[in-house]
Amino acid sequence: MHEHTALMQRALVAARLGPEADPNPRVGCVVTDRAGTVVGTGHHRGAGTPHAEVDALARAGSAARGGTAVVTLEPCDHAGRTGPCTEALLAAGITSVRYAVADPDPKAAGGAEHLRRAGLDVHVEDDPAMRAAAEAVNATWLHARRTGRPFVTWKTASTLDGRTAAADGSSRWITGEAARADVHRLRARVGAVLVGTGTVLADDPALTVRDADGHPAGRQPLRVVAGRRPVPAGARLLDGHAETLVLPTHDPTEVLAALLDRGVHHVLLEGGATLAAAFLRAGLVDEVVAYLAPVLLGAGPAAVGDLGIGSIEGAVRLETTDVTVLGDDVRITARPRTDHHPRS
């Protein structure tokens, strides 16, 4: 293994310590002295805190002069709530920089070229595995910056015959405890949980991350309701356990634009069949997480509404990326194939 690959691995370990749902990317940095000895390791802890490079340089102190910085993401060249990392690297006397992923954010990009112009030896990581790992650490953040909209995961829980509730509307509980706990872990990883007003009126969900005893736990995602019908004053979404945003629109594009403006880069779509169909018809679902329970109902609402598909040739084809057994239930994770889209 090349020495710089081992250093990038250490930087990736540091990057994963950062908050996944933060508006900013997760970044790790390792600083060595001029002899190649690691003298500082840092990571970004969230919006408004020192960036990974600044964190690592603070730990390295004067030993960083003449040394190398290995960073999972291109050093930023932008002054926001914190100063540019390029200036911090230059002030510390770093002479060489290696990074794994170019920063796609137009406000922060250009750091590598700035450092080259200043005389530093700047390299992009040449190990494909390291580059792929660095991409994966910030998959949804990079998606949002490259596409101009948040990454959308549609989560659904249904019986084997595709029902999300019984004919009388009852749905608690289709899946077992293990699957429900997994949903809370999924919520903890996203910036926002989205439902429509129909789901609020029918199910009165809390949409919080909860512990085994049912109490709100840890960081809470933004709760979002899309639709024009008013949210009842006594709804659990207004209980104060997490922030709630009501967007009076049925347009998925408008919803995602509003969330991107708030720094959200990963949205968990938990709404009913109508909202799911709207996002699918618009081609705005990037991942499906389906919890299937070994239960048969024979009647009741389906997981998704009309997609405007008239024949099997128009079906939305998914590529399965993971299958996990959770108690008696099965979680299937899949992504829409780019060569198949429903027609609206």
Side-chain angles (χ1 to χ4, degrees), residues 299-331:
V304 66
D306 182 14
L307 295 178
I309 298 171
S311 66
I312 194 65
E313 287 77 13
V316 181
R317 300 288 180 177
L318 307 177
E319 177 183 357
T320 301
T321 58
D322 179 73
V323 178
T324 299
V325 176
L326 298 166
D328 289 332
D329 306 317
V330 176
R331 183 191 68 206

Side-chain angles (χ1 to χ4, degrees), residues 22 56 131 150 253 290 294 306 309 331 339 341:
D22 192 77
R131 292 200 304 269
T253 302
D306 182 14
I309 298 171
R331 183 191 68 206
D339 55 343
H341 291 290

Side-chain angles (χ1 to χ4, degrees), residues 33-277:
D33 62 17
R34 63 178 69 247
T37 301
V38 173
V39 291
T41 300
H43 71 279
H44 184 51
R45 291 167 173 78
T49 66
H51 287 190
E53 296 93 325
V54 174
D55 187 30
L57 290 169
R59 298 172 189 278
S62 60
R65 188 158 300 277
T68 295
V70 177
V71 196
T72 56
L73 184 69
E74 178 185 7
C76 71
D77 198 32
H78 168 67
R81 293 169 69 177
T82 58
C85 290
T86 51
E87 296 300 332
L89 292 165
L90 292 171
I94 290 291
T95 58
S96 176
V97 172
R98 177 177 291 270
Y99 66 95
V101 178
D103 193 330
D105 189 337
K107 293 188 300 183
E113 185 56 33
H114 180 161
L115 294 172
R116 286 192 185 98
R117 290 197 306 268
L120 272 67
D121 188 17
V122 181
H123 297 277
V124 179
E125 175 60 51
D126 56 7
D127 186 319
M130 290 297 98
R131 292 200 304 269
E135 288 266 345
V137 166
N138 285 308
T140 59
W141 182 86
L142 288 167
H143 174 279
R145 291 300 173 270
R146 291 167 177 167
T147 66
R149 66 165 180 83
F151 185 93
V152 177
T153 295
W154 172 40
K155 166 254 157 183
T156 180
S158 65
T159 62
L160 285 182
D161 53 348
R163 308 296 177 176
T164 58
D168 65 358
S170 59
S171 61
R172 296 183 181 178
W173 294 104
I174 286 177
T175 55
E177 290 185 7
R180 297 198 299 273
D182 194 67
V183 170
H184 288 285
R185 289 190 290 270
L186 179 57
R187 285 179 183 170
R189 294 173 44 221
V190 305
V193 178
L194 171 64
V195 297
T197 50
T199 295
V200 175
L201 296 173
D203 298 337
D204 191 24
L207 301 182
T208 50
V209 178
R210 298 187 293 279
D211 61 22
D213 296 322
H215 301 129
R219 185 205 67 86
Q220 296 294 333
L222 175 69
R223 301 182 290 191
V224 185
V225 182
R228 296 192 177 92
R229 286 180 287 180
V231 175
R236 296 171 73 195
L237 284 170
L238 304 179
D239 59 13
H241 289 310
E243 183 181 2
T244 299
L245 174 67
V246 179
L247 298 172
T249 179
H250 294 132
D251 185 343
T253 302
E254 290 183 13
V255 171
L256 294 183
L259 295 180
L260 186 68
D261 285 344
R262 295 177 67 99
V264 173
H265 52 82
H266 191 182
V267 176
L268 182 61
L269 176 60
E270 289 203 42
T274 301
L275 190 63

